[in-house]
């Protein structure tokens, strides 16, 4: 009996293993490539239910939210769910000390209270189509990379024009498999997207940056928006007359929850991955680029954090900036650890050895010199990237420098022989507007400290002949005292003060461009940009062109060498389906993580003295009374869960669907141990983190008293 049981367990375990799934798949090919496996794993719907152009399918409920997230439609009145961190900037822009929606949350009582967000869009996919043959028509191997690109671009232009003729649609064509295939995406973009609700940050960002990228996680990372359309249900700019959009499809929500091992899938817009790059490229990321980014961002964060802790006003002003800087910083730390732990570079090298043996055979001569060329190219690229990253994360990581640079258009227009008056006036107007929003969230004291630290690091790490003369001159004048250097620049530069900038713009005459050119912050900015333009960009883009052509060939070769392997294309911010099973993991020796968290964990983490771990009385009361309504499960409130689904940045806000295609969660993060999955996925350690939809609805309904929003949704509960 015992033997039988063990055998059964082994069989079970191997099935389980086989289920863990890497890849982000193209919706158009699900039927052909994935449907059978997905159904064998437990899916009860068909590929056609997920993506179809003939009838409404799940894809009609999925949107690109803003520029880099995913969202899903959950009511027939255009109600939209995404992450709190995706709506963060919108929430922050509406926030002030008087109306601190970041800290206190925001809930529109009815549609009239929903807040507009100029510039925020959502994008629906109307259809996609493979256009490889047309894009690559007449392309041949004798062409230079530049000629090739030019011809491809002209083909793409035609395809896009044809696809959108006589419609209000927008088209994009994207490269797949590193330039081996191309797909057209026809999109419909809505421009009136209003904020409906957001939990307080102590729910929506619970655990803050300490918990970011980590499991066990307890973040209620969601916010709610609504899409508005004109009276004919078409996209329109904001207008009072606009009405809630009636979608072709909205997702049904299941309150049944999940068990370990259950099939789930994610439908959204993963941004970018690099699964097929050679070891040289991994080496450059892990050993050159990431250490620079990590070190420079770490220094910036130390300064910002100190000020944010001391002042609620600064906390609001710097919240979004700080979150952005910190997010990348922590991810790259995880990525580096993950690749080292996986021996990722060595693994790639071992494969490359095999590859070289294969490529050396007479029938594969075409690929024989790939690796010697990769080696040469990366050897040249590496030091350039090093300088570039010091420039981008160092010099341009300083707000005043980046801001000063935004005045270069004014300088250019004013110093031209033939001044375009209309353009000039428009530029001044834009700069005035930008000044108001820039200075709303700016503290020169913080920036000055960052300036001193970043320039010191830049100076100490970059070869002196790589530092623009103008900057060396200013540093010399201060005897390499970087605090003094910062003091001087901030004293003299008008870009440190809103009053000075506004005054300057109000009284602007074309000859004043000379004043801008004399401004020390502007001088630093333009010398850095110039350095980039003249010394880095031409060389780097030439080498990147070379990498592109080598990668295209290498991708083709990898597919040819492994004809039985099912390849998925790297993420490129196009709609994908990724699937797997809810599953815990072992992050370290003797440590096992469960696959879900509960409200108990929030109470355990509670610390009234730390902003990110405050738990409000209202939530405590609900917890103490176990007042979970229909959202609880056996007296527990489940908060987040994890699965082995392959996701990346851009998948934030993506719907997590069950075997029936019902919404059970919202994707928002990955576990730290597995963030190297952008380069190398690890079935043991790579896990995505999702918000349980029941916690989301519990917060909306029970915590915020916004049950009218839940009433708008379609809830299914089988059990
Ligand atoms: N790590 C998540 C992502 O990559 C969440 C980021 C926002 N949260 C934060 N604490 N910064 O977008
Ligand atoms: N938070 C990420 C996003 O904004 C998702 C996490 C990831 O990179 O997987 O898209």
């Amino acid at each position: 009996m015992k033997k039988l049981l063990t055998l059964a367990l082994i069989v079970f375990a191997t099935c389980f293993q086989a289920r863990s799934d890497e890849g982000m798949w193209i919706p158009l090919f699900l039927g052909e490539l994935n449907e059978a496996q997905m159904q064998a794993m437990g899916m009860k719907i068909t590929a056609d239910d997920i993506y179809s152009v003939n009838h409404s399918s799940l894809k009609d409920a999925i949107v690109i939210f803003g520029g880099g997230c995913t969202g899903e439609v959950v009511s027939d009145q255009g109600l939209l769910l995404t992450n709190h961190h995706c709506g963060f900037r919108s929430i922050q822009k509406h926030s002030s000390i008087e109306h601190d929606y970041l800290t206190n949350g925001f809930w529109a009582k009815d549609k009239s209270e929903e807040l507009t967000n100029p510039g925020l869009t959502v994008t629906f996919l109307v259809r996609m189509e493979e256009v490889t043959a047309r894009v690559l028509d007449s392309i041949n191997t004798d062409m230079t990379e530049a000629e090739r690109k030019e011809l491809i671009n002209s083909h793409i232009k035609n395809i896009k024009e044809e696809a959108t003729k006589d419609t209000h649609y927008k088209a994009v064509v994207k490269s797949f498999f590193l330039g081996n295939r191309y797909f057209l995406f026809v999109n419909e973009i809505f421009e009136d997207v209003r904020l409906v609700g957001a939990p307080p940050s102590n729910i929506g960002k619970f655990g803050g940056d300490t918990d970011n990228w980590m499991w066990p996680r307890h973040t209620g990372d969601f916010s709610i928006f609504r899409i508005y359309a004109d009276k004919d249900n078409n996209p329109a700019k904001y207008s009072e007359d606009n009405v809630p959009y009636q979608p072709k499809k909205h997702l049904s929500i299941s309150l049944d929850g999940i068990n370990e091992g259950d099939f789930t899938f994610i439908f959204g817009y993963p941004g970018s991955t690099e699964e097929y790059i050679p070891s040289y490229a991994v080496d450059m990321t892990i050993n050159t680029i990431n250490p620079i980014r990590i070190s420079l961002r770490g220094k910036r964060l130390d300064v910002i954090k100190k000020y944010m802790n001391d002042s609620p006003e600064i906390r609001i002003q710097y919240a979004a900036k700080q979150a952005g800087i910190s997010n990348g910083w922590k991810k790259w730390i995880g990525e580096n650890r993950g690749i080292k732990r996986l021996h990722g570079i060595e693994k790639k090298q071992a494969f490359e050895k095999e590859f070289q043996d294969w490529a050396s055979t007479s029938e594969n001569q075409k690929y024989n010199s790939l690796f010697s060329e990769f080696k040469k190219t990366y050897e040249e690229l590496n030091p350039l990237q090093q300088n570039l990253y010091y420039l981008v994360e160092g010099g341009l990581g300083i707000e005043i420098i980046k801001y000063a640079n935004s005045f270069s258009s004014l300088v250019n227009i004013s110093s031209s022989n033939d001044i375009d008056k209309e353009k000039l006036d428009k530029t001044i107007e834009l700069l005035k507007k930008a000044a108001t929003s820039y200075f709303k969230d700016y503290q020169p004291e913080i920036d000055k400290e960052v300036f001193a630290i970043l320039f010191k690091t830049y100076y100490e790490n970059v070869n002196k002949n790589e530092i623009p003369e103008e900057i060396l001159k200013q540093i010399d004048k201060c005897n390499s005292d970087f605090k003094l250097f910062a003091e001087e620049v901030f004293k003299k530069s008008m870009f440190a003060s809103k009053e000075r900038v506004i005054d300057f713009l109000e009284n602007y005459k074309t000859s004043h461009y000379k004043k801008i050119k004399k401004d020390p912050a502007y001088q630093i900015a333009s010398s850095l940009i110039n350095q980039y333009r003249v010394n880095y960009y031409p060389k780097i883009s030439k080498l990147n062109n070379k990498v592109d052509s080598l990668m295209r060939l290498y991708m083709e070769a990898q597919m040819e060498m492994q004809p039985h392997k099912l390849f998925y294309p790297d993420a490129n911010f196009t709609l994908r389906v990724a699937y797997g099973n809810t599953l815990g993991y072992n992050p370290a020796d003797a440590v096992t993580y469960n696959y879900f968290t509960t409200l108990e964990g929030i109470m355990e983490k509670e610390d009234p003295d730390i902003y990110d771990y405050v738990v409000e009385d209202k939530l405590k009361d609900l917890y103490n009374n176990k007042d979970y309504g229909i959202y609880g499960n056996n007296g527990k409130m489940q908060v987040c869960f994890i699965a082995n689904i392959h996701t990346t940045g851009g998948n934030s806000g993506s719907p997590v669907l069950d075997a029936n295609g019902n919404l059970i969660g919202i994707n928002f993060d990955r576990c730290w141990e597995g963030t190297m999955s952008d380069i190398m996925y690890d079935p043991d350690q790579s896990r995505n983190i999702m918000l349980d939809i029941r916690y989301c609805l519990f917060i909306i309904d029970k915590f915020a008293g916004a049950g009218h929003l839940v009433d708008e949704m379609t809830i299914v509960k089988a059990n």
Side-chain angles (χ1 to χ4, degrees):
M1 179 65 199
K2 204 171 166 202
K3 235 185 182 163
L4 251 177
L5 203 71
T6 329
L7 194 71
L9 274 179
I10 292 171
V11 173
F12 179 69
T14 22
C15 293
F16 223 63
Q17 273 293 309
R19 282 173 172 190
S20 81
D21 215 359
E22 171 181 355
M24 305 158 171
W25 304 94
I26 305 177
L28 191 61
F29 299 137
L30 283 185
E32 218 173 290
L33 299 182
N34 312 92
E35 186 183 55
Q37 189 192 27
M38 291 170 90
Q39 287 173 341
M41 287 167 72
M43 185 173 79
K44 304 212 174 67
I45 56 174
T46 64
D48 197 51
D49 296 326
I50 299 175
Y51 177 91
S52 169
V53 283
N54 301 319
H55 52 83
S56 78
S57 55
L58 292 178
K59 85 125 176 44
D60 296 314
I62 318 298
V63 297
I64 299 176
F65 181 85
C69 278
T70 306
E72 52 275 1
V73 182
V74 289
S75 90
D76 57 6
Q77 300 170 58
L79 203 64
L80 196 74
L81 286 177
T82 187
N83 288 146
H84 184 260
H85 78 260
C86 295
F88 202 67
R89 263 201 197 272
S90 307
I91 305 165
Q92 191 245 359
K93 276 193 195 149
H94 290 294
S95 295
S96 60
I97 287 279
E98 297 78 49
H99 297 287
D100 188 352
Y101 300 141
L102 277 184
T103 301
N104 305 319
F106 168 78
W107 302 96
K109 279 193 211 66
D110 54 41
K111 295 198 178 81
S112 70
E113 284 188 8
E114 297 176 357
L115 298 173
T116 63
N117 303 285
L120 179 64
T121 60
V122 303
T123 303
F124 286 90
L125 174 66
V126 179
R127 67 182 176 92
M128 63 182 293
E129 181 189 333
E130 177 150 19
V131 289
T132 307
R134 281 190 68 185
V135 172
L136 297 182
D137 184 31
S138 335
I139 296 285
N140 61 57
T141 44
D142 298 334
M143 289 177 163
T144 65
E145 200 55 26
E147 285 165 351
R148 182 188 160 98
K149 280 197 172 140
E150 202 184 308
L151 188 58
I152 286 181
N153 285 340
S154 82
H155 290 161
I156 288 180
K157 192 165 165 267
N158 294 339
I159 295 171
K160 281 171 31 178
E161 272 170 20
E162 211 174 279
T164 53
K165 197 162 175 274
D166 302 326
T167 71
H168 61 271
Y169 296 150
K170 294 265 175 351
V172 273
V173 171
K174 292 225 177 173
S175 142
F176 283 66
F177 294 112
L178 295 140
N180 284 289
R181 289 170 77 175
Y182 286 84
F183 287 77
L184 161 74
F185 297 83
V186 179
N187 293 324
E188 185 174 36
I189 303 176
F190 285 81
E191 294 179 272
D192 185 355
V193 184
R194 304 188 194 167
L195 177 63
V196 175
S201 286
N202 57 36
I203 290 175
K205 207 180 170 212
F206 183 78
D209 289 306
T210 317
D211 281 16
N212 190 22
W213 297 110
M214 306 284 253
W215 186 254
R217 188 68 157 275
H218 300 86
T219 312
D221 199 342
F222 76 92
S223 58
I224 313 173
F225 288 78
R226 190 188 302 280
I227 309 167
Y228 280 77
D230 69 13
K231 290 202 180 65
D232 301 320
N233 210 31
N234 285 320
K237 291 231 174 295
Y238 169 79
S239 152
E240 261 181 48
D241 301 333
N242 284 351
V243 291
Y245 169 64
Q246 293 175 352
K248 286 200 216 62
K249 172 97 189 167
H250 69 272
L251 299 179
S252 297
I253 299 176
S254 165
L255 299 184
D256 290 342
I258 20 86
N259 293 308
E260 180 144 38
D262 276 358
F263 170 82
T264 58
F265 69 104
I266 285 193
F267 203 9
Y269 282 85
S272 115
T273 58
E274 301 180 300
E275 310 289 343
Y276 306 104
I277 53 177
S279 56
Y280 299 114
V282 181
D283 193 344
M284 188 170 81
T285 301
I286 299 305
N287 294 318
T288 301
I289 298 177
N290 280 356
I292 298 173
R293 305 202 269 204
I294 293 165
S295 135
L296 290 172
R297 287 198 176 199
K299 291 179 203 284
R300 261 158 98 188
L301 287 168
D302 288 343
V303 176
I304 296 174
K305 242 185 263 166
K306 192 176 65 190
Y307 283 90
M308 281 176 82
N309 283 342
D310 287 348
S311 147
E313 189 197 349
I314 295 182
R315 176 171 282 286
I316 298 173
Q317 286 184 314
Y318 274 72
K321 289 189 234 186
Q322 187 268 354
I325 302 167
S326 158
N327 195 43
W329 167 78
K330 197 160 178 184
K331 189 201 127 168
W332 295 316
I333 296 175
E335 186 170 84
N336 266 24
R337 288 189 189 173
I339 289 289
K340 285 189 182 137
R341 174 179 179 165
L342 265 187
H343 301 290
I345 297 179
E346 296 76 2
K347 272 196 186 130
K348 289 256 178 197
Q349 283 167 341
F351 172 76
E352 287 159 11
K353 239 174 137 224
E354 259 178 64
F355 178 86
Q356 193 54 55
D357 290 342
W358 175 82
S360 308
T361 54
S362 57
E363 65 269 34
N364 298 317
Q365 276 307 302
K366 187 175 161 192
Y367 308 122
N368 193 18
S369 62
L370 255 177
F371 271 84
S372 58
E373 295 205 41
F374 267 136
K375 181 167 189 290
K376 209 171 85 210
T377 313
Y378 279 101
E379 271 168 8
E380 284 180 53
L381 197 52
N382 205 43
L384 283 165
Q385 291 285 28
Q386 182 166 336
N387 291 333
L388 178 69
Y389 275 90
Y390 270 111
L391 191 152
V392 171
E393 292 282 344
L396 297 179
I398 301 162
E399 292 176 82
I400 195 171
I401 302 298
K402 232 174 144 176
Y403 181 58
N405 187 51
S406 68
F407 279 65
S408 60
S409 53
L410 188 57
V411 172
N412 293 340
I413 297 170
S414 312
S415 57
S416 103
N417 293 332
D418 180 19
I419 292 175
D420 181 339
K421 181 83 178 74
E422 200 179 316
K423 210 164 149 198
L424 180 75
D425 290 345
K426 216 168 140 200
T427 305
I428 293 173
E429 260 332 288
L430 281 177
L431 284 171
K432 271 191 209 160
K433 259 202 196 141
T436 313
S437 85
Y438 172 77
F439 284 106
K440 171 179 179 282
D441 295 331
Y442 182 66
Q443 289 288 344
E445 279 313 301
I446 298 183
D447 200 26
K448 203 197 294 179
E449 233 181 286
V450 169
F451 181 107
I453 291 174
L454 289 196
F455 263 113
K456 184 165 187 286
T457 317
Y458 175 69
Y459 185 77
E460 287 170 355
N461 288 280
V462 173
N463 210 322
K464 296 294 158 293
N465 56 19
E466 293 292 336
I467 301 178
E469 229 167 275
E470 174 55 42
I471 296 180
L472 284 177
K473 218 167 69 196
Q474 292 197 31
I475 293 175
D476 268 354
K477 257 201 225 151
C478 304
N479 288 325
S480 303
D481 177 340
F482 288 88
K483 274 202 180 125
L484 184 63
F485 179 28
E487 284 296 341
E488 286 296 305
V489 170
F490 278 74
K491 201 165 64 200
K492 292 190 186 135
S493 172
M494 69 169 171
F495 296 109
S497 142
K498 181 178 177 183
E499 288 69 38
R500 285 178 67 186
V501 168
I502 295 286
D503 182 58
F504 179 77
L505 288 171
E506 303 244 303
N507 301 300
Y508 190 76
K509 298 210 178 51
T510 44
S511 64
H512 290 176
Y513 79 88
K514 290 185 190 132
K515 283 193 193 160
I516 305 178
K517 284 184 87 172
K518 276 204 197 115
D519 188 284
Y522 185 81
Q523 285 179 338
I524 294 172
S526 62
S527 64
L528 287 174
I529 297 292
N530 202 41
Q531 174 81 341
Y532 170 71
R533 253 194 228 129
V534 177
N535 294 328
Y536 301 157
Y537 178 76
K539 290 185 207 152
I540 290 179
S541 72
K542 202 165 142 222
L543 290 167
N544 278 341
N545 272 347
K546 181 75 190 164
V547 169
D548 285 351
S549 68
L550 294 175
M551 270 315 297
R552 190 168 63 240
L553 205 61
Y554 184 39
M555 185 76 241
E556 177 192 302
Q558 291 179 66
M559 293 169 115
E560 226 175 281
M561 181 184 158
Q562 302 157 283
H564 301 297
K565 181 172 164 178
L566 195 54
F567 283 85
Y568 61 92
D570 270 320
N572 58 359
F573 206 55
T574 60
L575 189 58
R576 301 290 178 88
V577 172
Y579 51 93
N581 307 90
T582 47
L583 199 61
Y585 69 113
N586 306 315
D589 187 30
V591 183
T592 303
Y593 281 157
N594 196 3
Y595 74 100
F596 71 92
T597 58
T598 66
L599 200 44
E600 261 76 13
I602 294 183
M603 299 306 149
E604 283 168 10
K605 284 180 178 173
E606 187 204 1
D607 185 337
D609 297 329
I610 304 178
Y611 183 89
D612 291 325
Y613 292 102
V614 171
V615 179
E616 288 182 27
D617 290 343
K618 181 81 194 277
L619 189 58
K620 281 193 225 171
D621 288 345
L622 291 165
Y623 168 74
N624 288 330
N625 299 327
K626 301 284 168 279
D627 185 2
Y628 303 148
I630 52 171
Y631 312 110
N633 183 22
N634 293 326
K636 297 250 184 266
M637 184 72 243
Q638 289 180 215
V639 175
C640 294
F641 61 109
I642 52 175
N644 57 8
I645 303 178
H646 195 181
T647 56
T648 186
N651 267 129
S652 272
S654 297
V656 185
L657 302 141
D658 67 5
N660 295 309
N662 293 323
L663 186 70
I664 54 168
I666 308 175
N667 189 69
F668 70 94
D669 212 357
R670 271 176 291 163
C671 299
W672 215 24
E673 296 79 7
T675 47
M676 69 295 179
S677 63
D678 289 349
I679 298 172
M680 195 174 274
Y681 174 89
D682 177 10
D684 285 339
Q685 300 291 321
S686 294
R687 297 289 180 273
N688 63 312
I689 307 179
M690 301 154 282
L691 171 67
D692 193 309
I693 202 69
R694 293 170 296 184
Y695 183 61
C696 170
L697 298 191
F698 160 77
I699 293 297
I700 298 174
D701 187 352
K702 292 274 177 179
F703 174 84
H708 60 281
L709 295 174
V710 179
D711 293 341
E712 250 189 80
M713 304 175 191
T714 305
I715 310 282
V716 292
K717 192 171 188 335
N719 304 326

